[in-house]
């Protein structure tokens, strides 16, 4: 926001680069009357802007004062930028431990301010990298606190926090599942096989049930919650789970209840 307003830009943004050489727009500021591009620019291949990476690795900023200048040399970049209504831009690297993890950019800044915004982006990129690292650390700590590390399901702590919150709902459906034969699997095949059984059963529930609220509350116990759902829909979900379990190599004991009492 500060960069956009100070340098009279149409749009400022952060893109983050992932291991598969794809990039997504994760943060964005737009001037009044400028259309957001954030939701469109997700999971984009780096190929069209690969030449930016060479400059970033030298800690240089990409400066394009007129995109017509790159029309012939970098046609893929030109097409991508032109489609967004970009006539000029400045983009600087974001690096963590020497690795380029993203870039910070400004579209259509004031023509008289290119000499000022260019060094600023280089400096700000350093601070943005610290903020992204802090964000990722907080996300990791949150996952350790509220996610089961074996399956990726929410854990008992997450369920307790959800249930202690300000719940305003017309009804609630609850499905309780217990993995049958986990102890026998652990004793006969080892705990690695038991862990795989747990992961498999969680994936079965996740793929079958239309709710994000699935919790692993014990070694072999899972609970799925359906706040404010219709009874007919809930019963369809239970039936679908019974069918899926009946077809599977492993077995889940299933209990369930639906209530519209406050």
């Amino acid at each position: 926001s500060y960069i956009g307003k100070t340098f009279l830009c149409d749009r400022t943004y952060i893109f983050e680069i992932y291991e598969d050489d794809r990039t997504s727009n994760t943060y964005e500021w737009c001037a009044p009357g400028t259309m957001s591009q954030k939701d469109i620019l997700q999971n984009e291949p780096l190929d069209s802007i690969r030449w930016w990476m060479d400059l970033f690795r030298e800690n240089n900023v990409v400066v394009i004062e007129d995109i017509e200048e790159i029309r012939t040399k970098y046609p893929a970049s030109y097409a991508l930028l032109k489609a967004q209504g970009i006539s000029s831009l400045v983009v600087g690297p974001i690096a963590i431990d020497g690795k380029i993890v993203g870039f910070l950019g400004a579209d259509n800044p004031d023509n008289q301010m290119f000499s000022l915004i260019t060094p600023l982006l280089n400096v700000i990129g350093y601070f943005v990298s610290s903020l992204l690292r802090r964000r990722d650390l907080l996300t990791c700590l949150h996952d350790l606190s509220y996610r089961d590390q074996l399956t990726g399901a929410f854990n008992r702590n997450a369920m307790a926090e959800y249930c202690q919150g300000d719940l305003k709902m017309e009804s609630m459906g609850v499905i309780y599942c217990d993995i049958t034969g986990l102890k026998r699997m652990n004793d006969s095949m080892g705990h690695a096989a038991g862990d795989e059984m747990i992961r498999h059963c969680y994936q079965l529930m996740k793929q079958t049930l239309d709710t994000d609220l699935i919790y692993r509350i014990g070694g072999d116990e899972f609970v799925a919650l359906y706040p404010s759902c219709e009874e007919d829909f809930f019963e369809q979900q239970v039936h679908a789970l019974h069918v899926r379990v009946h077809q599977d190599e492993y077995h889940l004991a299933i209990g369930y209840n639906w209530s519209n009492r406050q």
Side-chain angles (χ1 to χ4, degrees), residues 6-30:
T6 301
F7 296 96
L8 306 178
C9 306
D10 285 347
R11 197 171 79 96
T12 54
Y13 43 82
I14 291 173
F15 277 75
E16 294 182 62
I17 300 171
Y18 305 112
E19 296 295 336
D20 60 354
D21 268 3
R22 289 185 172 270
T23 184
S24 290
N25 187 177
T26 52
Y27 299 92
E28 174 192 65
W29 172 88
C30 292

Side-chain angles (χ1 to χ4, degrees), residues 24 58 73 89 94 129 159 204-205 214 220 243 255:
S24 290
E58 298 297 324
K73 189 173 182 180
L89 61 75
I94 301 172
S129 68
M159 182 173 173
L204 182 151
M205 293 181 65
I214 302 178
D220 56 1
V243 170

Side-chain angles (χ1 to χ4, degrees), residues 8-215:
L8 306 178
C9 306
D10 285 347
R11 197 171 79 96
T12 54
Y13 43 82
I14 291 173
F15 277 75
E16 294 182 62
I17 300 171
Y18 305 112
E19 296 295 336
D20 60 354
D21 268 3
R22 289 185 172 270
T23 184
S24 290
N25 187 177
T26 52
Y27 299 92
E28 174 192 65
W29 172 88
C30 292
T34 299
M35 183 177 297
S36 170
Q37 300 290 322
K38 181 172 176 287
D39 292 340
I40 300 171
L41 299 172
Q42 298 295 313
N43 203 32
E44 294 286 324
L46 273 177
D47 294 342
S48 60
I49 55 171
R50 182 76 61 183
W51 59 281
W52 292 9
M53 299 301 111
D54 296 332
L55 293 171
F56 290 160
R57 279 188 280 271
E58 298 297 324
N59 204 33
N60 291 322
V61 174
V62 176
V63 179
I64 305 176
E65 296 191 35
D66 181 356
I67 68 163
E68 297 302 325
E69 297 172 357
I70 67 167
R71 183 173 186 172
T72 303
K73 189 173 182 180
Y74 302 110
S77 298
Y78 175 83
L80 178 66
L81 300 176
K82 190 75 172 179
Q84 299 174 53
I86 297 172
S87 58
S88 62
L89 61 75
V90 183
V91 185
I94 301 172
I96 295 179
D97 297 330
K99 179 182 179 182
I100 304 301
V101 298
F103 50 88
L104 170 69
D107 292 346
N108 304 331
D110 185 271
N111 291 336
Q112 306 302 315
M113 296 187 175
F114 272 97
S115 61
L116 298 175
I117 192 174
T118 299
L120 181 65
L121 284 191
N122 231 341
V123 173
I124 291 180
Y126 172 79
F127 293 102
V128 169
S129 68
S130 297
L131 293 172
L132 293 179
R133 193 200 298 257
R134 180 174 179 270
R135 178 207 62 187
D136 293 343
L137 176 60
L138 291 174
T139 299
C140 181
L141 291 174
H142 183 273
D143 285 347
L144 289 173
S145 298
Y146 294 107
R147 289 280 185 181
D148 171 50
Q149 298 305 296
L150 177 62
T151 63
F154 289 118
N155 61 18
R156 182 186 290 271
N157 293 336
M159 182 173 173
E161 181 169 291
Y162 177 81
C163 293
Q164 290 168 5
D166 185 18
L167 300 179
K168 296 179 181 179
M169 59 192 70
E170 298 176 356
S171 63
M172 173 66 84
V174 179
I175 299 176
Y176 173 89
C177 294
D178 189 302
I179 301 174
T180 303
L182 178 61
K183 184 179 185 304
R184 183 168 61 252
M185 176 68 77
N186 285 332
D187 292 343
S188 62
M189 303 295 291
H191 284 275
D195 288 348
E196 182 57 36
M197 184 181 189
I198 294 169
R199 283 192 291 264
H200 176 91
C201 290
Y202 168 65
Q203 288 299 320
L204 182 151
M205 293 181 65
K206 184 179 178 182
Q207 293 166 11
T208 307
L209 301 179
D210 188 12
T211 177
D212 294 326
L213 301 178
I214 302 178
Y215 303 84

